[in-house]
Amino acid sequence: MRLGVHHVRLSFALYPSPFFCLRSGRQFGGQSRVISEELSGTKTSPLIVALLWLLPDASSPSAAQSAAAAESTPDEAAHWAFRAPQAVPVPAVKQTAWTRNPIDSFILARLEAEGIEPSPEADRATLIRRLSLDLLGLPPTPAEVEAFERDATPRAYENLVERLLASPHFGEQWARHWLDLARYADSDGYEKDGLRPSAYVFRDWVIEAINADLPFDRFTIEQLAGDLLPEATGAQRIATGFHRNTLANKEDGVDAEEFRCRAVADRVNTTATVWLGLTVACAECHTHKHDPISLREYYQLYAFFNHADELDADITRPVESKTFRARHAAWQREADRLSSAISEFTKNDLPAAAARWAATARPPRTAWTVLSPTDLGSQRGAVLERLNDDSVIASGINPNVDTFSVTCEAPAGTITGFRLEVFGKYGADRTAGRGRGGAFTLTGFSARMVGAAGATPLAIAGAQADFSNPLQLAPAVLDDAPATGWSVTPKVHQRHVLVLRLSAPLVTRPGDRLVFQLEQASGEGRTLRRFRFSATAAATVDPDPMPDEVAHILRSPAAARTELQNKVVARYYAELDPHYHALQEKLQHHMAAEPARPPDKVPVLHQTAQVRPTHVHMRGDFLRPGPAVQPGTPEVLPAFTPRGSCGDRLDLAQWLVSPANPLTSRVVVNRVWQHLFGRGLVATPDDFGTQGEAPSHPELLDWLALRFQRDGWSRKALIRLIVNAAAYRQRSDHRRDLTDRDPLNTLLARQGRWRLSAENVRDAALSVSGLLNPAIGGPSIRPPQPTDIAALGFGDFVTWKEDAGPAKYRRGMYIFFQRTVPYPMLQMFDAPDSNHSCTRRERSNTPLQALTLMNDPVFWECAQGLGTWLTRAGHGEVRETIRQGFRLCLGRAPGAEEVARLEQFHQGYAKRLTASGAGGKEVDAWVGVARVMLNLDEFLTRQ
């Protein structure tokens, strides 16, 4: 019986896998068992099965079958990625003066064939910034740029490359690329998303390995099978944390075997993606429809990892333990020194300084009567409680928007104004508000009197405060706009007062009550923590921050004051004394930076004591085991030979990096090329199969792959070779002559230009602002983020206790990554979700990114730090200050038009600050200029 092409297509429509077997030229007879295995136990129509078995066996000499196979597709072995890289001669070119190493000859030969000229070399300022961002992820300093521009030696560029390759920050930048592949995260994922407090140990291993230029073949072997090496060291076992980054479902009632199988499948898929550039995950349920990977071969790969179990091991890292003890001892010595300095000042200097201050201090003109609350309420369910001093403290739920209602007994007599006190300290809480960083924003205030005749709204003529954030002034509480309000950020650790002057005196009688409404509608849980109301009958309503207790003491003669009263005065004065305040601030920052102890348990893989049998999962269902399989690799790739009777992960790792494997070295050099040019020689780094893109320069890809192996799999040698090429040094300017001919820059007639990665955007801002903490390695950090972000997680499993002190200014790669609630800034700039291996990050461009750069607390602090630096940098000369800022942020001098526009902006901003009553200080205007510089497209772009 002969079947025509239409019959073959029918079988494909009903069940696609066997059609692949025919069209790919593989022997159908050899695949028949796999097909029957896939169909067994399914509800497949008998007609389909009959059609499959009616297809002629490829082993029989059927001309029709041979014709159909030849007509459908060539032999999969002909696909370029499955053939071994070929040593090819470096092509000859006409413009030999342009080339600097063989890479250039391959690229120039293609350009000359197309009649395209390469771009000129970029200027030195661009080159050093490009290299610094590519190799370190950090911008160069002005001094580094100037030194490189002045270096006239022949090897100035090559020496710069060597310096950057030797920097410890090189390991951080390239470890970040690898962690994308390793799907690194600090939590389990799924609903409960439990924490992995010691996951960072693997991240540290990657940084150290890359800085040490651990050969990539060893880098591979230790991560896939470090525990199987003879006399495996602790570091080699830690390396197996690569495959402990899989998601883990630890919810109650889950099927443990189901999620173990899912983790094993993830390890198979990730290994194939990272080292082979193949989409083997497509074969988890059925034979791959496009690439020569069968269902059976998928589970042969699965068998390598099916014999591995997860383990939290006791691994002592002597270097880390020794470092911790030394760091903690140094930290304790500094803590003791600061505490002693405060005690010494409090005992010897503070009493005399307080007495001198008290001799000239004038108590407030306004006398206040504290009001006693009788009824408290929160519109959104916060808990309000009256304390012994008649203040009110809020606790419990902290919604984004809330209105507090406080009813107080009205003192009989006349009232001309009210005072709202907010306190920066109470017990363990040391901030005035409950929002991020201790902030609050009071967006509305109203009051009414309730008497025998009913309720009467009170007209308020004005509001004043002892201190306000320049952008959130006291009068805003009366403007009926929920988007504006009064805030005391950043002075959230101190007591502040807001006074409200009545339009007309209010006469009260015994039994009258006063009802105050405090609206807080700014979002992010920026509500008040502890506050108190007072009233006055004085003609002048003064926002003096001096507490009533201190004012009362100062009204009495100095000689009549008791020792306790003098201590009260000294305690208040301490908050005003700049030296005491500086000592306290230093101690607080230092205590928050206590070194973390090394983890007791380290997540690793280890081989099971007994071999766990592996079966094909029918349709990918672990509950439907098919035929048993042994560890093995796809037939289309070079033969796999285990060390013993049954292969293990060490055999697999050695097979992956064997010279005979045609994929691994190609895949690795392609990813490195992608990071240095913005696009790989193969534009689909995760798919080298038949559905992926063919290489733009196949001979160059093979030449680099073989050179990589000859250089001992050295990552640094590969990067050194690429960045020293003339092709890398080209300008990245857009060229109109290439718009239609090569819009994607496939021919590499210029360099690439792209926005920095999420982590590097943050790193660059911290670096130029002087805030960056360059410490390498160690536990993950939790910088500020909106308080309601953590609430998006399931139940109370997600918490976010912000780091204080220098820790929060560490590089972006150290930010704690919670899978279910990722850090919003990283997500905004396209960081991967860490649920799967990521070989290439997407780059979006949205208005939310600009809003993040303008409003995120980290970038706001960076603007303040940069603005402070600018205030000093130009010695008061505006244009020189702008030039200094450009050199710092962009690595170059500004043009005349750029200077003029920023000068105009600086002057206008300073005038607006003065007009708004915010003070118009010089540093405030430069903070505005700093925000502009940090938001320039050029600052966020690698050119």
Side-chain angles (χ1 to χ4, degrees):
M1 176 179 179
R2 298 181 61 182
L3 291 177
V5 175
H6 294 293
H7 292 87
V8 177
R9 288 177 180 166
L10 172 62
S11 69
F12 176 68
L14 297 174
Y15 192 79
S17 294
F19 176 69
F20 164 78
C21 301
L22 179 61
R23 73 179 181 86
S24 67
R26 302 180 73 169
Q27 290 191 348
F28 184 79
Q31 291 289 309
S32 59
R33 182 179 178 188
V34 174
I35 294 171
S36 63
E37 288 166 359
E38 292 187 40
L39 294 176
S40 64
T42 67
K43 296 181 180 179
T44 309
S45 166
L47 172 61
I48 300 175
V49 178
L51 281 171
L52 295 177
W53 286 107
L54 284 171
L55 285 169
D57 194 316
S59 60
S60 64
S62 167
Q65 179 202 357
S66 300
E71 183 179 271
S72 56
T73 187
D75 192 318
E76 68 265 9
H79 183 61
W80 68 268
F82 302 138
R83 299 194 305 267
Q86 299 298 310
V88 295
V90 177
V93 294
K94 299 174 184 178
Q95 303 179 54
T96 55
W98 184 78
T99 62
R100 293 181 178 274
N101 65 35
I103 290 175
D104 298 324
S105 297
F106 285 101
I107 292 173
L108 187 57
R110 180 80 182 276
L111 291 175
E112 289 180 344
E114 298 284 344
I116 298 174
E117 290 289 325
S119 295
E121 182 169 300
D123 60 80
R124 286 205 165 189
T126 300
L127 286 176
I128 186 173
R129 192 168 191 271
R130 178 187 297 169
L131 274 170
S132 295
L133 291 172
D134 280 353
L135 301 192
L136 309 184
L138 297 169
T141 65
E144 291 171 335
V145 175
E146 184 178 357
F148 181 56
E149 289 180 324
R150 291 182 176 181
D151 191 345
T153 60
R155 291 187 55 82
Y157 181 88
E158 289 78 2
N159 292 337
L160 170 63
V161 171
E162 294 305 316
R163 178 174 67 80
L164 296 178
L165 288 173
S167 169
H169 297 302
F170 172 82
E172 290 181 306
Q173 173 71 352
W174 288 83
R176 180 60 266 176
H177 298 324
W178 186 257
L179 295 176
D180 282 1
L181 300 170
R183 67 271 193 243
Y184 174 86
D186 294 286
S187 68
D188 290 336
Y190 294 113
E191 189 177 42
K192 287 190 176 180
D193 200 19
L195 304 185
R196 296 177 176 176
S198 55
Y200 77 89
V201 176
F202 170 72
R203 181 178 61 203
D204 285 358
W205 180 89
V206 176
I207 296 172
E208 294 164 6
I210 291 177
N211 272 332
D213 199 20
L214 183 68
F216 188 81
D217 55 349
R218 295 299 303 175
F219 187 73
T220 295
I221 290 169
E222 293 188 11
Q223 288 182 89
L224 294 181
D227 59 310
L228 299 179
L229 292 171
E231 299 180 359
T233 65
Q236 289 169 335
R237 296 180 65 198
I238 289 170
T240 64
F242 177 89
H243 273 319
R244 283 298 307 275
N245 290 316
T246 53
L247 280 71
N249 194 341
K250 298 179 181 177
E251 300 168 26
D252 297 334
V254 301
D255 188 321
E257 178 62 11
E258 176 186 1
F259 286 96
R260 187 195 70 82
C261 291
R262 287 193 185 182
V264 174
D266 174 71
R267 288 167 185 147
V268 174
N269 303 338
T270 299
T271 301
T273 297
V274 172
W275 278 275
L276 299 176
L278 294 179
T279 56
V280 303
C282 297
E284 183 179 353
C285 301
H286 53 74
T287 291
H288 203 297
K289 297 176 183 177
H290 304 294
D291 291 332
I293 304 167
S294 70
L295 180 71
R296 173 186 289 274
E297 288 171 337
Y298 180 88
Y299 285 98
Q300 288 175 340
L301 290 171
Y302 184 99
F304 286 111
F305 298 99
N306 200 30
H307 305 326
D309 277 348
E310 299 182 353
L311 175 68
D312 291 336
D314 293 311
I315 299 178
T316 302
R317 298 193 290 168
V319 173
E320 187 180 37
S321 297
K322 182 179 179 181
T323 302
F324 166 75
R325 288 195 297 270
R327 289 179 59 198
H328 196 274
W331 174 86
Q332 188 62 56
R333 287 194 298 271
E334 179 64 9
D336 294 342
R337 187 190 70 78
L338 290 172
S339 298
S340 298
I342 293 173
S343 299
E344 194 73 17
F345 180 82
T346 303
K347 179 179 178 181
N348 299 328
D349 300 331
L350 185 62
R356 290 193 297 271
W357 171 80
T360 58
R362 295 183 178 181
R365 293 173 295 174
T366 306
W368 295 95
T369 300
V370 174
L371 303 180
S372 180
T374 58
D375 191 27
L376 303 170
S378 163
Q379 192 176 76
R380 296 300 178 89
V383 177
L384 301 183
E385 180 184 359
R386 173 182 172 274
L387 302 178
N388 292 334
D389 63 352
D390 287 326
S391 65
V392 177
I393 188 159
S395 61
I397 189 173
N398 185 28
N400 290 334
V401 176
D402 204 350
T403 298
F404 293 167
S405 176
V406 180
T407 302
C408 301
E409 297 176 357
T414 301
I415 296 176
T416 58
F418 301 111
R419 179 183 68 182
L420 172 67
E421 298 174 89
V422 295
F423 300 92
K425 298 178 182 178
Y426 178 74
D429 299 318
R430 304 181 64 84
T431 57
R434 302 178 70 196
R436 181 179 58 239
F440 73 85
T441 302
L442 183 65
T443 57
F445 177 90
S446 62
R448 66 181 186 273
M449 188 188 75
V450 179
T456 304
L458 302 179
I460 299 174
Q464 292 177 286
D466 67 308
F467 174 80
S468 299
N469 180 285
L471 301 178
Q472 295 173 304
L473 304 178
V477 303
L478 304 177
D479 62 7
D480 294 329
T484 62
W486 174 56
S487 169
V488 298
T489 303
K491 297 184 178 182
V492 297
H493 300 283
Q494 303 170 9
R495 173 184 172 274
H496 297 285
V497 296
L498 172 73
V499 296
L500 302 117
R501 187 177 70 258
L502 293 176
S503 299
L506 172 68
V507 178
T508 61
R509 296 176 175 78
D512 288 347
R513 289 168 296 154
L514 295 167
V515 180
F516 302 101
Q517 299 273 8
L518 300 177
E519 298 175 14
Q520 299 139 109
S522 62
E524 300 183 358
R526 295 165 66 96
T527 59
L528 289 165
R529 185 184 302 279
R530 179 175 168 236
F531 56 93
R532 182 170 62 182
F533 284 103
S534 302
T536 186
T540 301
V541 181
D542 186 9
D544 194 303
M546 184 181 295
D548 298 339
E549 183 182 21
V550 176
H552 175 74
I553 294 173
L554 291 181
R555 291 190 182 100
S556 63
R561 296 170 193 162
T562 66
E563 182 179 354
L564 178 60
Q565 288 177 323
N566 287 331
K567 288 183 178 180
V568 171
V569 172
R571 188 163 54 247
Y572 171 70
Y573 169 74
E575 295 184 8
L576 307 178
D577 186 275
H579 182 65
Y580 180 84
H581 184 70
L583 288 175
Q584 283 284 4
E585 193 172 49
K586 284 183 179 178
L587 179 61
Q588 290 174 16
H589 283 298
H590 182 73
M591 297 304 289
E594 181 178 5
R597 292 185 176 276
D600 297 327
K601 300 288 186 180
V602 178
V604 299
L605 285 184
H606 79 113
Q607 199 76 345
T608 56
Q610 295 181 342
V611 175
R612 183 182 283 123
T614 302
H615 296 264
V616 172
H617 293 174
M618 307 314 301
R619 288 300 196 186
D621 186 352
F622 79 105
L623 294 175
R624 296 169 58 197
V629 295
Q630 294 297 316
T633 57
E635 292 179 11
V636 72
L637 295 174
F640 168 75
T641 305
R643 303 186 323 278
S645 59
C646 182
D648 58 20
R649 284 177 287 119
L650 181 55
D651 292 316
L652 175 65
Q654 292 173 339
W655 175 82
L656 285 171
V657 293
S658 66
N661 192 313
L663 286 169
T664 302
S665 57
R666 280 175 171 149
V667 169
V668 175
V669 299
N670 185 66
R671 277 200 303 264
V672 171
W673 189 275
Q674 171 184 276
H675 294 311
L676 297 174
F677 283 89
R679 175 186 172 94
L681 295 171
V682 177
T684 51
D686 58 343
D687 190 357
F688 274 49
T690 59
Q691 299 302 297
E693 290 196 20
S696 60
H697 296 73
E699 295 84 3
L700 174 58
L701 180 63
D702 281 7
W703 186 88
L704 284 171
L706 294 173
R707 176 67 178 265
F708 185 42
Q709 295 182 37
R710 286 201 308 272
D711 285 343
W713 298 84
S714 168
R715 180 186 278 103
K716 287 189 176 182
L718 175 63
I719 293 172
R720 179 186 295 113
L721 180 69
I722 296 175
V723 300
N724 276 317
Y728 177 84
R729 303 191 200 187
Q730 295 178 99
R731 294 173 63 173
S732 62
D733 300 350
H734 173 71
R735 289 173 50 175
R736 290 188 177 182
D737 61 315
L738 300 178
T739 301
D740 296 325
R741 298 186 64 184
D742 189 21
L744 299 179
N745 194 32
T746 305
L747 300 179
L748 300 167
R750 60 181 177 86
Q751 245 292 2
R753 181 183 186 275
W754 58 83
R755 195 210 67 221
L756 300 178
S757 67
E759 295 85 354
N760 288 167
V761 167
R762 182 178 188 273
D763 297 345
L766 288 172
S767 179
V768 301
S769 67
L771 296 177
L772 180 67
N773 177 356
I776 296 175
S780 297
I781 61 167
R782 290 178 171 86
Q785 73 169 359
T787 53
D788 57 343
I789 293 295
L792 298 175
F794 174 73
D796 296 324
F797 291 105
V798 177
T799 59
W800 191 271
K801 183 179 180 181
E802 294 178 5
D803 283 289
K808 68 177 180 179
Y809 301 122
R810 298 188 66 203
R811 295 191 65 171
M813 72 174 299
Y814 298 113
I815 293 176
F816 192 95
F817 199 92
Q818 186 100 33
R819 279 190 164 110
T820 55
V821 191
Y823 189 64
M825 180 265 155
L826 296 181
Q827 294 297 101
M828 197 63 63
F829 287 89
D830 308 309
D833 62 13
S834 291
N835 291 331
H836 305 282
S837 183
C838 175
T839 62
R840 178 182 55 187
R841 291 193 182 188
E842 299 298 328
R843 292 189 182 94
S844 64
N845 184 9
T846 72
L848 291 178
Q849 293 172 355
L851 292 172
T852 299
L853 294 172
M854 294 295 289
N855 299 313
D856 186 283
V858 171
F859 291 100
W860 172 249
E861 287 188 66
C862 288
Q864 290 177 313
L866 179 57
T868 302
W869 183 89
L870 290 171
T871 306
R872 300 190 301 265
H875 305 289
E877 211 282 310
V878 174
R879 293 188 177 182
E880 177 58 26
T881 301
I882 292 172
R883 293 188 187 96
Q884 294 283 356
F886 253 72
R887 296 287 288 183
L888 176 62
C889 294
L890 305 181
R892 66 170 177 87
E897 183 181 358
E898 292 169 324
V899 172
R901 292 187 67 182
L902 279 177
E903 184 179 23
Q904 182 181 9
F905 175 82
H906 173 267
Q907 293 172 350
Y909 195 71
K911 289 180 181 179
R912 287 194 298 273
L913 286 174
T914 303
S916 68
K921 296 180 181 178
E922 182 182 9
V923 66
D924 295 331
W926 283 115
V927 168
V929 175
R931 296 183 80 190
V932 172
M933 291 184 174
L934 294 180
N935 280 270
L936 291 174
D937 177 74
E938 187 176 347
F939 177 72
L940 304 173
T941 301
R942 175 271 196 207
Q943 301 197 62

